[in-house]
Amino acid sequence: MAGPRRGRLAGVTVVVVGAGPVGLTAALLLARRGIGVLVVDRQPAPYAQPRAVHLDDEALRVLQAAGVADAFAAVSRPMAGLRLLDDASRTLAEFPRGDGVHGWPQGSMFSQPDLEAVLLAAVDAEPGIRVRRGVELITLVQQDGPVRLVLRDRATGAEEGAVAAAVLGCDGARSTVRRLIGGWMRDLGPAERWLVADLASPGPLPVWPGVQQVCDPVRPATFMPVAGDRYRAEFRLAAREHPADLDLPRLLDRFGAAGCTVVRTADYAYAARVADRWRDRRVLLCGDAAHLTPPFIGQGLGLGLRDAHQLAWKLAAVLGGADDALLDTHQAERAPHARALVRVAVLLGRLMTGSGTPAAVTRRAVLAGIRRIPALAAFAATSRTPPLRPGPLVRRPRIAPGSPVGALVPQPTVRVAGGVCRLDDVLGPGWAVLTAGGRVPAGWPGKIVRIGQGGVMGQGGVIGGGSVDAPELARWLRGRAVLVRPDRIVAAVGPRPVGGHAGGTPFERTR
């Protein structure tokens, strides 16, 4: 019998494996930098059921960079925050969310199919991106040059070769790309089984518009409005419990949702894992292929979007001639950040849902401390994630409490010549230097943007450098200059106007 037919794809620069939100966002970020992209996905159509339901304001800046944040805002809604309840539905603590420092709500709720529709519309409008569905990756081979792949059409069995300058594995928890580069997942905590029920209501339910976490040691539960007429309920399953054993209408009744239509139920195992290997030369991992987290801080999809954002500019720089060593920073920066958030999710999950006397005592002690110390409560309510660790692209001194280096620069609304917009939209795709009067150290790449507190704007806005009017940002800078990477991470802080000196090695231009 004849073997599968073989063909060849021409003109491919980067192959993205996986057409979920992370893969599509990565494709848009690369295409906006002039990189041709082929996206392949083994499924014949997008998955129609909701999975991820929450993004924070840091992740929305990734969607903003991909050009879809405003469209996403139209299909999502701001989240009020997190409320912890006891087993009698009495409020133990509340952590509100509102408008943050990044120009977007600190938390947004959405249905994943709506987000994917927004991303696909943007992809369809981008001539530099091709999407092939029902196509799976079979093999990949790297030598000194490009990556050579074999792809297979799952409907016909036909195989074809592709040559790519790089491959991004955005293909989920059972990642083929991770397997092909010899990676494996390291457990950071025990897996838990939860029943997830997605609901549709004929009318708004009289519930708090945030996430409710029931700290019931027998049956921990989560309930949240999503968007539109959709709601989600989650209930932890015992070790040998079957979902069919649960009286779902009775469980939903505590939230006033017994009359909702159950759109679907799923038995999920919430894992806590991070890959040991994120890169093999020009093959790199993003999203669930690189990490899996419990849902208790709502960072599953956000972590993947951060992976794509912080990788896209580096990969574009390497494809433009920068040293491949720049790609070494992908795992070095992203893996510790992912591990930190996964461990926080595991810890908070134990705190909120742990059973037994020790867990209850710890929960009461922590909540009592939060109620007594306003600063601790404010910290618990923030959407800020940990800063990146120091490294070649993150020049933070060893002892620098409160340093912004490694974290996102705030994004206020700014006034430029000709109008008002968000900061990221005027900085451009490359490096930038923001200064409110501070000296700019020699060797810093990027255009210089002077931040004012009012008065006359620089001519032409920030094209090639100039001025913007942003009083909040000027106060945040405190007279200093900061170096901002293309992914809006603060790479370094200059000296204060009086005293001090600018230490560190000048940054190599990677634009």
Side-chain angles (χ1 to χ4, degrees):
M1 184 172 64
R5 294 181 291 108
R6 287 185 179 269
R8 186 172 183 82
L9 295 170
V12 172
T13 299
V14 172
V15 171
V16 174
V17 183
V22 174
L24 295 175
T25 300
L28 287 167
L29 292 170
L30 289 168
R32 288 165 73 89
R33 292 181 175 275
I35 307 298
V37 183
L38 170 67
V39 182
V40 299
D41 194 287
R42 68 191 314 271
Q43 299 301 326
Y47 188 64
Q49 298 297 339
R51 287 164 291 173
V53 295
H54 170 268
L55 286 175
D56 65 17
D57 50 349
E58 292 187 358
L60 258 67
R61 289 180 76 172
V62 184
L63 297 183
Q64 182 183 343
V68 298
D70 288 314
F72 169 79
V75 299
S76 62
R77 65 167 192 84
M79 183 188 75
L82 171 66
R83 181 178 284 176
L84 303 184
L85 309 176
D86 66 10
D87 54 2
S89 296
R90 295 170 297 201
T91 300
L92 298 171
E94 185 175 306
F95 307 102
R97 290 282 175 92
D99 294 330
V101 299
H102 297 299
W104 299 99
Q106 286 180 301
S108 293
M109 305 298 294
F110 65 98
S111 180
Q112 183 167 326
D114 292 341
L115 169 60
E116 294 195 22
V118 165
L119 290 167
L120 284 169
V123 165
D124 288 344
E126 174 53 64
I129 303 175
R130 288 181 291 158
V131 179
R132 298 275 305 277
R133 291 195 175 273
V135 173
E136 61 185 345
L137 172 66
I138 302 301
T139 63
L140 57 82
V141 176
Q142 294 188 84
Q143 294 177 348
D144 293 333
V147 187
R148 301 185 180 277
L149 308 91
V150 175
L151 306 173
R152 181 167 61 201
D153 186 304
R154 299 185 71 207
T156 66
E159 294 183 355
E160 52 193 319
V163 177
V167 174
L168 300 191
C170 306
D171 50 342
R174 297 179 178 88
S175 170
T176 298
V177 177
R178 185 182 65 235
R179 174 178 58 80
L180 291 175
I181 67 171
W184 59 281
M185 299 293 264
R186 180 172 298 172
D187 287 324
L188 298 182
E192 290 188 348
R193 291 174 56 239
W194 285 66
L195 176 68
V196 176
D198 285 301
L199 315 168
S201 174
L205 297 179
V207 296
W208 188 59
V211 176
Q212 299 179 71
Q213 179 66 54
V214 181
C215 304
D216 184 343
V218 177
R219 179 75 72 191
T222 309
F223 189 83
M224 66 198 83
V226 180
D229 65 347
R230 297 304 178 94
Y231 294 79
R232 172 169 288 183
E234 304 174 1
F235 305 96
R236 191 172 69 188
L237 296 167
R240 288 177 292 278
E241 191 171 30
H242 192 276
D245 298 334
L246 273 62
D247 184 349
L248 187 57
R250 182 184 63 81
L251 293 174
L252 293 174
D253 190 52
R254 85 180 299 165
F255 304 108
C260 289
T261 299
V262 178
V263 177
R264 68 129 190 187
T265 60
D267 180 353
Y268 272 118
Y270 291 145
R273 296 174 179 170
V274 175
D276 70 319
R277 188 178 195 186
W278 292 46
R279 177 194 174 208
D280 178 10
R281 289 164 284 180
R282 293 282 186 91
V283 180
L284 304 107
L285 303 181
C286 292
D288 286 357
H291 43 69
L292 297 168
T293 180
F296 300 110
I297 57 174
Q299 287 294 330
L301 177 55
L303 275 172
L305 294 180
R306 290 176 177 87
D307 296 341
H309 196 203
Q310 293 175 28
L311 175 60
W313 71 269
K314 299 173 185 176
L315 182 56
V318 168
L319 297 180
D323 195 303
D324 272 38
L326 182 61
L327 299 179
D328 290 339
T329 64
H330 178 54
Q331 179 169 350
E333 291 185 349
R334 294 301 309 143
H337 187 261
R339 281 194 296 270
L341 285 178
V342 171
R343 285 177 173 138
V344 168
V346 171
L347 178 62
L348 289 183
R350 290 172 179 167
L351 174 65
M352 295 187 297
T353 68
S355 58
T357 301
V361 170
T362 302
R363 184 159 50 240
R364 286 196 297 269
V366 170
L367 294 177
I370 289 174
R371 284 191 291 265
R372 287 196 304 267
I373 306 172
L376 186 58
F379 176 78
T382 185
S383 59
R384 181 180 177 179
T385 62
L388 300 182
R389 289 185 178 179
L393 300 174
V394 180
R395 299 298 176 85
R396 186 171 63 247
R398 290 182 178 276
I399 303 177
S403 171
V405 176
L408 284 169
V409 66
Q411 182 185 216
T413 299
V414 302
R415 289 181 56 241
V416 298
V420 176
C421 56
R422 299 182 182 94
L423 177 67
D424 289 357
D425 293 336
V426 300
L427 292 185
W431 291 78
V433 177
L434 306 182
T435 177
R439 181 171 63 84
V440 177
W444 277 15
K447 62 189 176 187
I448 298 175
V449 181
R450 293 172 179 82
I451 308 299
Q453 301 190 54
V456 180
M457 308 307 323
Q459 294 298 315
V462 294
I463 303 302
S467 302
V468 300
D469 186 6
E472 305 99 319
L473 192 56
R475 288 192 292 271
W476 178 82
L477 285 167
R478 293 183 292 173
R480 304 168 299 183
V482 299
L483 177 62
V484 181
R485 302 179 351 176
D487 53 21
R488 312 312 184 196
I489 298 291
V490 177
V493 174
R496 294 189 181 278
V498 179
H501 78 287
T505 305
F507 284 77
E508 179 184 1
R509 291 180 180 268
T510 55
R511 293 173 294 165

